[in-house]
Every structure is written in C-alpha cells, then in structure tokens.
C-alpha cells in the first residue's frame, strides 16, 4: 500500500477533502502575499526613500523567484515527500515574512520578497500534485477548480485587508497578517499529507538549470520593466535582452542532455499539453494585468481609498466561489471548449466595458464589469488545467503540474511588466498630443480657459492671478485626461489578450485526443 492508501484507510472518503482543505489554506495564505505587499508598496518606498528603479525590484524579484521555483517542486516532492516539502516551505515563508515585517533597510525588504516569491512558486505545484493524488481521474476537474479558486480568492482578500491595514496601522503589519493561516496549514499538513514514498537515495537537483533559468527570466524582466526609463536601444536594455536569450539557449541545451531535467521538454510533444500551457500563459497575462490595472485606475484616477479599491472585487469573488466548483464538475463531463469559449466571450465583453471608463465612472459600473469578467475567469482555468495535464503520461504529470503553473505565472510576470512599459509610452504619446493642442488656435481650450477664469473670479481670485490659476487648472484637467486615455489603452490591450487566449483554447478543446470518458479506477 502507498502512503496515500494508508491515509485513505485511516480517514475514509473524507480524506481527499482534508487534503484539499490543507493545501488550499496554504495557497490562500501565500497567494495573499502577492497583492498584500503591493498595496503597501507606496508606504514602503516612502519609508526607505526608494526610487522607481529600486521599487521595481520588489515586484521583479518576487515574480522571477516565483516563476523559476515552480519547476523545482517536482524534485522536492520526489526527494522529501509532500508532507516535509509543504511544511518546510511554509516555515521558510514565515521566516521571510518576519524578515520583511521587521526590515530596517531596502535590502532586507527585497530579500524577504524574493524568498516569499520562491516559496509561493514552490507551494503551488506541490498543492496541485497533492490534489491529483487524492482525487480520482473523473474528479480532477473539481480538483483544479478548487485550485483555481485558491488563486483568485487571496488576491481579493489581500487587497481589502491590506488596504485596511496600511490605513489603520503601518505597512509592517502586512507581512504578519497571513502568519496564523500558515501555522494552521502546517498543523494540517503534518496530520494529513503523506510522507515520502521511496526510501532510496534522493534524486539530485539540477542546480545549474535552475540558476540559469532564473538569470534568464530575471534579466528579461529587468529589461522589460526598465526599457522606457533607460531607453529601449540603450546598452543596458539591449545587453540584458541578448544575455537573457543566450542564457535561455544554454538552459534548453543543458536540459536536453539530462536524464532527470528540471524541465522535461518531452511534455511539449503532446499537443494537448502544449496548447494548454500556451492558453494558460496568455490567460495568466490577462489575469494579472487586470489585477494590476483596475486597482491602479480606481485609486489614481477615481481617488478610491485602498479599501474601496479592494471592495470592487467582492462581488466577483462571490461569483467565483459559487461558479468554480460547478465548472469543475462540468469540466469532468464535457469538452473544455464548451466552457472556455463562452467564458472568454464574457471576458471580452467585460474588457470592452472597462475600456470605456473615464473620470466619472462609478463604483457600481466597475464592480459589475469585474463581476462579468469573473464569469469568464471562473470558466477557464479548471478545464484547461485538467485537460492539459491529462494529456501527459503518468511519468510526466509531476513535471506537468509545475510547468503549467510556470506558464501561468510567466505570462503574468511578463504581461504586468509589459503593461507598465506600454502605459509609460502611451502617457508620453497622449501628453505630447494634448500639450500640442493647447494653443490660441484651439477654440475649445480657449473657451475652457475662459470659463475657468470666470469661476475663479466668482470665488474671489484677484484679476492678476486668474489667468495663471486658470492655466494651472487646465493643465491638471489635461493631466487627468491623459491618465484616462492611458488606462483605456491598457484595458484595450488586455481585451486583445483575451481574444488571443481563445486560439489555443479552441485547439485544446477541439483536439481529437479529447475523450469524455473518464479513466477507469480511482478512489
């Protein structure tokens, strides 16, 4: 009997739900760390006097560490077992959180975020593998649905709780909020996760591959994040891109010659997995881009407080909580494109609504749009993940769970960095365009200026200062207009991304290898 069989015999059929509760608790705790610190970033940068270049290390380091370590998880489970791996990662995360919350320097904060990112990246595939161990093939759609819900739920909770914390207390506390959840997950992990199956020698980790891939991703993220500030054709950016490509080539060449590689490229010989990974890469970009852009727009343009910005996601979270389990059940019975394509249609409509926002947009409009978007988001990950991983032979499933998460996270990392860069460029474009139109030949601008002078005269502003004050107000109005146009461009770009997701998703669903018949057996 395997260790899982022994635990099933001890706890009965409820065991799979005990495991699900255990790993989802850890996923929610670590998932909250992604957004909860982002909410506090302005306060952290102010406390340490960090420049824009220095602040981006908080996100770039976290994203790079999260992305690369996703691929190390299969080795850790093989070497130490699910129980030891899960508990150890949570303990390291707790230590990193304590380091971040008590840091007195920028170096301490950045180090804490990189360690948090690494542990977050490792826990995700470990949790997915645990779910696949205890849920039979005909219920793995439900397993991936639960897993997908644990990725979206903490982002909403973190925005609300993090915003309230930094407003009420200080930024230090955002590092401590999830520690009770981590402790509870450790206790449950000790009780319910299986120990290592094998008693033989532990497999060796491909350290060279891991370091090479980390360097390649980190270099490319740094180039994309700083291209607008440094200049896209500057020596620094071009050098980083070339260096990243070279290191990526070295990584692929190295992996091809190993018997137990960090990334088994044989997975990509399976069309279903390749299409699923591509779809989730694009979906990750869309998902993380929205989660970045909407809070930014609501706070910078509409002047929402961090708490109110977080509350925008509350209705959509309820929708996800209700729909994701239902989608999980359906994904075990029908071809994935029957769920994903209608879901993407809802997402396209939601992004169209977002692209119409302006400085007068209401809280209700944004909340409804986000709720419509959640209808699409809930219909996509469960069937796509389940179908992609099911396309692999058993020996590659452990690699597949890490790689599919790697694709999702990598898409999010590059989409967020690319979106920030695009918005910088569009800000310059719209700013130059509007500035060029502010002259005596623009009848609308002159009429607005005259109206502002009239208002200032009515409130008692002296005649000598009216024109200067009116010009200043007109400039602020134009600045707000630029911001609105830039955010609209950002939402339009995300809409295009949603449309692109449909291509590999359709191929995955229509691929002739799909079978509605579940594998026989299972608990």
């Amino acid at each position: 009997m395997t260790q899982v069989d022994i635990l099933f015999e001890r706890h009965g059929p409820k065991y799979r739900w005990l495991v699900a509760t255990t790993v989802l608790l850890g996923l929610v705790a670590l998932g909250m760390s992604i957004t909860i610190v982002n909410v506090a970033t302005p306060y952290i940068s102010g406390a340490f006097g960090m420049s824009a270049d220095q602040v981006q290390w908080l996100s770039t380091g976290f994203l790079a560490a999260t992305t690369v370590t996703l691929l190390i998880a299969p080795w850790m489970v093989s070497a130490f077992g699910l129980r030891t791996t899960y508990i150890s990662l949570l303990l390291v995360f707790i230590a990193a959180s304590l380091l971040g919350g008590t840091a007195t320097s920028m170096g301490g904060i950045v180090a804490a975020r990189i360690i948090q990112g690494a542990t977050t990246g490792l826990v995700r595939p470990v949790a997915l593998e645990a779910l696949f161990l205890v849920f039979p093939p005909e219920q793995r759609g439900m397993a991936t649905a639960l897993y997908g819900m644990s990725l979206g739920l903490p982002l909403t909770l973190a925005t609300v709780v993090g915003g309230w914390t930094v407003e009420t207390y200080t930024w230090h506390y955002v590092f401590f909020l999830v520690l009770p959840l981590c402790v509870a997950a450790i206790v449950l992990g000790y009780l319910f996760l299986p120990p290592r199956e094998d008693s033989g020698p532990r497999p060796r980790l491909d350290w060279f591959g891991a370091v090479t891939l980390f360097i390649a991703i980190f270099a490319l993220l740094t180039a994309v994040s700083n291209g607008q500030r440094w200049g896209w054709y500057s020596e620094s950016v071009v050098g980083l891109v070339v260096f990243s490509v070279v290191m990526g080539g070295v990584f692929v060449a190295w992996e091809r010659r190993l018997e137990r590689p960090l990334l088994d490229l044989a997975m990509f010989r399976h069309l279903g997995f390749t299409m699923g990974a591509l779809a989730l890469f694009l979906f990750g970009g869309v998902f993380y881009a929205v989660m970045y852009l909407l809070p930014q727009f609501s706070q910078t343009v509409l002047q929402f407080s961090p708490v109110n910005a977080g509350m925008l996601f509350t209705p959509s979270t309820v929708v996800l909580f209700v729909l994701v389990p239902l989608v999980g059940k359906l994904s075990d019975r029908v071809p994935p494109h029957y769920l994903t394509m209608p879901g993407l249609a809802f997402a396209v409509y939601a992004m169209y609504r977002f692209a119409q926002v302006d400085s007068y947009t209401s809280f209700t409009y944004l909340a409804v749009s986000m709720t419509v978007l959640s209808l699409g988001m809930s219909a996509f990950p469960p069937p796509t993940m389940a179908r992609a991983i099911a396309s692999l032979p058993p020996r590659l499933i452990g690699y597949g769970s890490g790689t599919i998460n790697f694709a999702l996270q990598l898409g999010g990392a590059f989409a967020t960095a690319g979106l920030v860069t695009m918005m910088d460029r569009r800000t310059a474009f719209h700013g130059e365009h509007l500035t060029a139109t502010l002259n005596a030949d623009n009848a609308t601008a002159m009429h607005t200026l005259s109206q502002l002078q009239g208002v200032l005269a009515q409130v008692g502003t002296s005649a000598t200062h009216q024109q200067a004050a009116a010009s200043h107000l007109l400039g602020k109005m134009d600045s707000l207009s630029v911001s609105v146009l830039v955010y609209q461009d950002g939402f339009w770009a995300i809409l295009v991304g949603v449309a692109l997701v449909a291509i590999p998703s359709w191929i995955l669903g229509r691929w002739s290898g799909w079978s509605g018949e579940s594998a026989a057996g299972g608990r």
Side-chain angles (χ1 to χ4, degrees):
M1 294 178 68
T2 67
Q3 295 293 335
V4 174
D5 291 330
I6 293 171
L7 289 167
F8 260 106
E9 192 174 78
R10 180 184 306 168
H11 299 287
K14 67 179 181 181
Y15 175 63
R16 65 174 58 94
W17 296 105
L18 294 173
V19 170
T21 301
T22 300
V23 298
L24 295 182
L25 194 60
L27 285 172
V28 169
L30 272 63
M32 287 181 68
S33 70
I34 299 173
T35 306
I36 202 166
V37 176
N38 290 343
V39 173
T41 295
Y43 301 87
I44 295 173
S45 62
F48 295 111
M50 300 167 70
S51 66
D53 285 347
Q54 293 169 329
V55 168
Q56 65 94 16
W57 286 94
L58 292 174
S59 60
T60 303
F62 184 94
L63 290 171
T66 302
T67 304
V68 174
T69 53
L70 287 163
L71 300 178
I72 301 175
W75 168 81
M76 290 193 70
V77 173
S78 177
F80 304 105
L82 273 169
R83 178 188 294 170
T84 301
T85 299
Y86 185 73
I87 292 175
S88 300
L89 291 173
L90 289 174
L91 289 172
V92 173
F93 181 84
I94 289 174
S97 299
L98 294 174
L99 172 64
T102 59
T104 57
S105 67
M106 184 187 75
I109 288 285
V110 172
R113 288 299 282 163
I114 290 175
I115 298 171
Q116 282 187 327
T119 52
T120 300
L122 285 164
V123 161
R124 287 181 175 180
V126 169
L128 188 58
E129 187 169 347
L131 291 171
F132 270 47
L133 273 177
V134 298
F135 280 85
E138 67 272 14
Q139 293 183 8
R140 285 179 180 169
M142 172 61 74
T144 52
L146 294 171
Y147 177 82
M149 187 167 59
S150 73
L151 299 182
L153 179 62
L155 298 180
T156 303
L157 291 175
T159 306
V160 177
V161 177
W164 176 82
T165 301
V166 295
E167 285 185 354
T168 307
Y169 300 103
T170 72
W171 63 265
H172 297 274
Y173 288 94
V174 298
F175 284 93
F176 305 144
L177 286 173
V178 299
L179 297 189
L181 294 178
C182 292
V183 173
I186 288 172
V187 173
L188 293 178
Y190 179 78
L191 293 174
F192 302 122
L193 290 184
R196 186 178 182 229
E197 295 284 352
D198 300 325
S199 57
R202 304 184 195 280
R204 297 178 60 185
L205 174 64
D206 177 17
W207 285 105
F208 181 81
V211 172
T212 303
L213 184 61
F214 178 84
I215 292 172
I217 291 175
F218 191 79
L220 191 55
L221 278 175
T222 302
V224 173
S225 300
N226 294 284
Q228 184 66 17
R229 287 189 293 270
W230 296 349
W232 289 103
Y233 299 103
S234 65
E235 289 186 8
S236 299
V237 171
V238 174
L240 282 170
V241 172
V242 172
F243 179 65
S244 175
V245 171
V246 170
M247 295 303 289
V250 170
F251 171 77
V252 171
W254 174 260
E255 296 301 294
R256 291 174 63 89
R257 60 187 294 272
L258 294 182
E259 183 178 349
R260 295 182 64 90
L262 185 69
L263 178 66
D264 195 328
L265 300 177
M267 290 181 293
F268 297 102
R269 296 173 188 161
H270 301 270
L271 177 63
F273 181 81
T274 301
M275 289 298 101
L278 178 58
L280 284 164
F281 173 83
L282 296 171
F283 176 83
V286 169
F287 178 74
Y288 282 99
V290 172
M291 296 303 297
Y292 170 82
L293 201 60
L294 183 55
Q296 292 285 329
F297 170 78
S298 62
Q299 292 182 74
T300 58
V301 175
L302 303 181
Q303 299 299 305
F304 286 3
S305 69
V307 173
N308 286 336
M311 293 298 291
L312 285 171
F313 297 92
T314 302
S316 61
T317 302
V318 175
V319 170
L320 287 172
F321 190 79
V322 172
L323 286 185
V324 167
L326 177 62
V327 170
K329 289 182 178 180
L330 289 174
S331 65
D332 290 320
R333 296 175 172 83
V334 301
H337 64 281
Y338 286 2
L339 299 171
T340 57
M341 301 309 291
L344 291 174
F346 275 109
V348 167
Y349 174 64
M351 293 316 306
Y352 174 78
R353 285 175 57 91
F354 279 127
Q356 312 304 312
V357 296
D358 56 31
S359 56
Y360 300 102
T361 300
S362 68
F363 178 96
T364 302
Y365 182 91
L366 293 178
V368 169
S369 300
M370 189 63 209
T371 302
V372 174
L373 181 63
S374 69
L375 295 174
M377 296 296 187
S378 64
F380 190 83
T384 305
M385 280 188 173
R387 178 65 192 96
I389 296 176
S391 301
L392 298 173
R395 73 175 187 86
L396 292 175
I397 285 179
Y399 284 104
S401 64
T403 305
I404 211 76
N405 278 278
F406 174 78
L408 182 72
Q409 185 66 34
L410 189 66
F414 282 109
T416 303
L419 183 65
V420 172
T421 298
M422 186 208 79
M423 292 177 68
D424 284 343
R425 293 177 69 89
R426 298 301 291 175
T427 298
F429 170 80
H430 288 301
E432 292 175 2
H433 177 72
L434 284 180
T435 300
T437 63
L438 291 180
N439 52 60
D441 296 328
N442 188 325
T444 302
M446 293 300 100
H447 178 67
T448 303
L449 187 64
S450 175
Q451 286 184 317
L452 290 173
Q453 286 183 260
V455 171
L456 290 168
Q458 291 178 2
V459 298
T461 304
S462 65
T464 56
H465 296 102
Q466 286 175 13
Q467 185 171 1
S471 298
H472 175 72
L473 289 174
L474 184 60
K476 291 180 71 67
M477 291 170 62
D478 283 335
S479 178
L480 179 62
S481 298
V482 167
S483 296
V484 169
L485 291 171
V486 169
Y487 280 105
Q488 288 177 348
D489 290 345
F491 287 122
W492 278 114
I494 298 173
L495 189 153
V496 173
V498 175
L500 291 175
V501 174
I503 299 173
S505 181
W506 176 257
I507 296 173
L508 174 65
R510 297 292 296 176
W511 180 44
S512 60
W514 185 88
S515 172
E517 298 179 3
S518 301
R523 298 177 184 85

